Amino acid sequence: MIEIQIAGAGAGKTYGLAETLIGHIKACTTHKKTFALTYTNSATAKIEQEIIKQYGFIPQNLYIQTVHSFLLNEIVYPFSSFTLDDVYNDSSIMHVGNSKYKNRLFKTLREKKIIHAENVYNISKQIVDEMISRHSSKLKKAKVKRLLAILENCFEKIFIDEVQDLDDDALRFFEVLGSNGIDVYMIGDPKQAIKYPKAFDNFVDKVSAKEYVNILEINNQTTRVPREILAISNSFCYEGQQQESLSDVVGELMYIESTDAKYDDLLSSYISAKQIVCIDKKVGRYSTSSKHKHSFPQEIEEMIRESKHKKDKVLFAKAAFSDFFNDVEMYGAKIAINNLRTKHLLTFENKHYAQLYELCSVFTENNVQFIVQSIDSVKGLDANTCVIITSPNLLKYLTKNGIKEGDYFNKEWKKVYVALTRAKHRLVLALDHDLLLASDIEAVRSSISELGFVYHH
């Protein structure tokens, strides 16, 4: 059975998930595993904190994980050899590079019994879905049926938060489980589906009439977004998903301009106060760089994994990269690369040095003044103040200036909705004139004033 709950920004999805989980755990009489899954490690921490807050502790048979960790540890590693005759015992997050070489990289890693993070959803689907071409024979289909019976005896229920972040393959994987006796509860907001903007919508449309699917009433209430901000964000909602604010806060809509003497100090103060300052993508003085968003090139990561050590290969490579990143920031590229080479007794060719210097250049962009968050990364977060660095593209969607109906609810549209719904009190547009060189600033001021934004004194 699959239950699908759609709930908008600030609807208390994590609180509601924890409450539903606790009710299930209390009623559960078996020793099967119950899973709470979400997209990021920070999101799993939020679920853990909420369950401890409501229940006092984490029950022994409850496993809180990212979807990737669940699929790797419960599906790929133990069962890929059973239904696919492929063995995986390790995973990699190394940079893929040019997409046309992606399948070649996946094949190279597979030969070494390594699965790439980008291939986890697809392989997991193949393991359990008897409808794919790899399971064309009766024998192979029988193996898949046997595996699903095993999983039904092991899994009590799977709760998935932020389900809109899953792609078609991952959604199909959970559909297969839900249609084969494993209860799956999904909660999410299609309006926040940035990475795969159509996947969750298409999934809901496809399964809504299935006998094993129950679509719950949409939760359109928000306890976070103030009324003044909601007046704008609601114009980015699907029909029937406009939200009602339960917040007592009216909210403030403001804008600042880079020509103001206080602009830099104001932006820095918001960043240092850990308010949300975000941009759709790094540009000019604004970077979203983080060591968590990069990795060593493939050959160098493999060298480090295979160097003389007795530790977990994945964790060892991650630790090495973290050290390298810190050395680049502290000492510069040359010393960082030399430290990496000597510490792990690596032998580099000229191409390896070139790759590492290129990687270092990403960390040390000379024109960067502000390290801010990407809009993609602030989903699930909130703060009293949210500042949006307003790029021309984001401004175009925010004001709907020249946006055709066919572009409604695409990736850029949904980024605007996410950015608009982070603030609990004050929403600020930061107008950097260097980013808006091709724009008529007077027209920009006029268009955002019509939305209700006033100058930030």
Side-chain angles (χ1 to χ4, degrees):
M1 184 68 182
I2 298 174
E3 283 187 312
I4 299 175
Q5 172 72 73
I6 293 173
K13 290 188 287 295
T14 302
Y15 175 88
L17 180 75
E19 190 174 46
T20 305
L21 259 168
I22 290 166
H24 169 76
I25 291 293
K26 286 179 176 178
C28 187
T29 58
T30 74
H31 295 289
K32 295 180 182 181
K33 294 179 179 180
T34 294
F35 294 91
L37 309 179
T38 190
Y39 192 66
T40 63
N41 288 321
S42 59
T44 61
K46 282 184 67 176
I47 294 174
E48 287 179 355
Q49 291 164 9
E50 191 59 50
I51 290 174
I52 291 171
K53 181 179 175 181
Q54 293 187 36
Y55 194 57
F57 62 96
I58 304 294
Q60 277 191 325
N61 60 334
L62 174 60
Y63 299 81
I64 304 171
Q65 301 176 347
T66 64
V67 175
H68 267 85
S69 293
F70 166 78
L71 294 175
L72 284 173
N73 296 315
E74 302 291 338
I75 305 297
V76 176
Y77 293 155
F79 297 117
S80 60
S81 60
F82 182 59
T83 62
L84 299 180
D85 296 322
D86 288 335
V87 175
Y88 296 102
N89 52 31
D90 201 354
S91 63
S92 171
I93 59 169
M94 66 181 60
H95 181 59
V96 171
N98 194 318
S99 59
K100 70 179 181 179
Y101 301 124
K102 183 182 291 187
N103 288 335
R104 185 189 305 174
L105 171 62
F106 291 168
K107 181 180 178 182
T108 301
L109 291 173
R110 185 169 66 248
E111 290 168 352
K112 298 178 181 181
K113 301 179 181 179
I114 299 171
I115 185 170
H116 193 279
E118 286 194 18
N119 211 20
V120 170
Y121 290 166
N122 182 260
I123 293 299
S124 299
K125 181 194 75 171
Q126 292 184 42
I127 290 171
V128 302
D129 190 357
E130 68 173 279
M131 302 304 293
I132 68 166
S133 58
R134 292 187 69 172
H135 303 309
S136 56
S137 70
K138 288 184 178 180
L139 178 60
K140 290 182 177 180
K141 288 182 184 295
K143 280 189 173 184
V144 173
K145 286 184 170 66
R146 173 60 181 151
L147 170 58
L148 290 169
I150 292 170
L151 297 179
E152 185 185 0
N153 285 325
C154 295
F155 298 168
E156 175 65 25
K157 190 165 184 174
I158 300 171
F159 295 80
I160 310 171
D161 194 15
E162 304 292 355
V163 70
Q164 78 278 348
D165 290 331
L166 302 184
D167 71 359
D168 295 324
D169 289 333
L171 290 167
R172 173 58 184 165
F173 169 86
F174 289 109
E175 181 191 358
V176 171
L177 265 57
S179 61
N180 282 274
I182 298 171
D183 285 342
V184 179
Y185 174 85
M186 301 177 167
I187 186 167
D189 183 7
K191 301 183 293 298
Q192 298 186 62
I194 294 176
K195 192 167 185 179
Y196 310 106
K198 298 293 184 183
F200 187 46
D201 287 331
N202 293 340
F203 176 76
V204 173
D205 288 343
K206 185 183 76 169
V207 304
S208 58
K210 303 285 187 180
E211 70 279 0
Y212 52 83
V213 175
N214 180 25
I215 310 290
L216 302 175
E217 183 179 355
I218 297 174
N219 180 352
N220 286 329
Q221 294 182 324
T222 176
T223 58
R224 177 175 71 225
V225 187
R227 294 189 296 278
E228 284 290 310
I229 301 174
L230 205 63
I232 303 174
S233 65
N234 269 344
S235 70
F236 289 86
C237 292
Y238 293 100
E239 188 62 39
Q241 292 191 30
Q242 286 81 12
Q243 295 177 271
E244 172 194 359
S245 180
L246 300 182
S247 172
D248 294 329
V249 179
V250 175
E252 297 178 347
L253 298 168
M254 297 182 172
Y255 71 90
I256 56 177
E257 298 188 40
S258 61
T259 50
D260 299 339
K262 63 186 179 185
Y263 178 88
D264 286 4
D265 289 341
L266 198 56
L267 214 56
S268 296
S269 68
Y270 281 131
I271 293 171
S272 61
K274 300 191 183 303
Q275 300 302 297
I276 291 176
V277 181
C278 60
I279 193 168
D280 55 349
K281 60 182 178 181
K282 64 179 184 178
V283 64
R285 300 189 293 161
Y286 311 96
S287 177
T288 57
S289 288
S290 163
K291 62 186 175 184
H292 303 296
K293 297 179 182 179
H294 302 282
S295 61
F296 287 120
Q298 177 186 348
E299 288 186 7
I300 296 172
E301 179 165 315
E302 288 178 1
M303 287 183 199
I304 294 169
R305 285 175 178 238
E306 300 304 324
S307 60
K308 293 182 179 179
H309 67 88
K310 297 181 180 179
K311 300 177 181 178
D312 179 275
K313 292 181 179 181
V314 176
L315 295 178
F316 188 75
K318 286 182 179 179
F321 186 80
S322 181
D323 290 343
F324 177 69
F325 181 92
N326 292 335
D327 281 353
V328 172
E329 286 190 322
M330 190 171 295
Y331 306 116
K334 186 175 181 180
I335 293 176
I337 292 170
N338 189 56
N339 287 350
L340 177 71
R341 180 180 58 81
T342 55
K343 182 176 181 179
H344 300 289
L345 303 176
L346 305 177
T347 302
F348 289 155
E349 299 175 13
N350 287 337
K351 66 176 181 179
H352 298 135
Y353 284 107
Q355 289 171 341
L356 287 170
Y357 274 109
E358 182 181 357
L359 183 61
C360 291
S361 70
V362 174
F363 300 153
T364 57
E365 297 163 311
N366 293 328
N367 63 335
V368 169
Q369 185 177 350
F370 300 105
I371 304 295
V372 300
Q373 294 169 280
S374 67
I375 293 176
D376 302 58
S377 70
V378 300
K379 283 195 291 93
L381 304 181
D382 59 58
N384 283 327
T385 298
C386 174
V387 181
I388 307 172
I389 312 297
T390 315
S391 68
N393 190 57
L394 189 143
L395 184 66
K396 181 174 71 172
Y397 275 89
L398 177 63
T399 60
K400 300 186 179 70
N401 184 15
I403 301 299
K404 299 177 182 177
E405 191 170 344
D407 293 327
Y408 286 11
F409 306 111
N410 66 9
K411 183 178 294 190
E412 304 305 320
W413 177 284
K414 293 184 176 186
K415 280 185 180 181
V416 175
Y417 173 78
V418 168
L420 288 174
T421 52
R422 300 304 99 197
K424 295 189 289 186
H425 179 72
R426 175 181 293 170
L427 181 65
V428 182
L429 298 183
L431 307 181
D432 188 324
H433 288 218
D434 289 338
L435 301 185
L436 302 173
L437 283 175
S439 303
D440 181 337
I441 291 297
E442 282 298 333
V444 170
R445 292 191 190 107
S446 176
S447 62
I448 64 175
S449 294
E450 287 179 12
L451 293 173
F453 289 90
V454 297
Y455 176 67
H456 191 330
H457 293 285

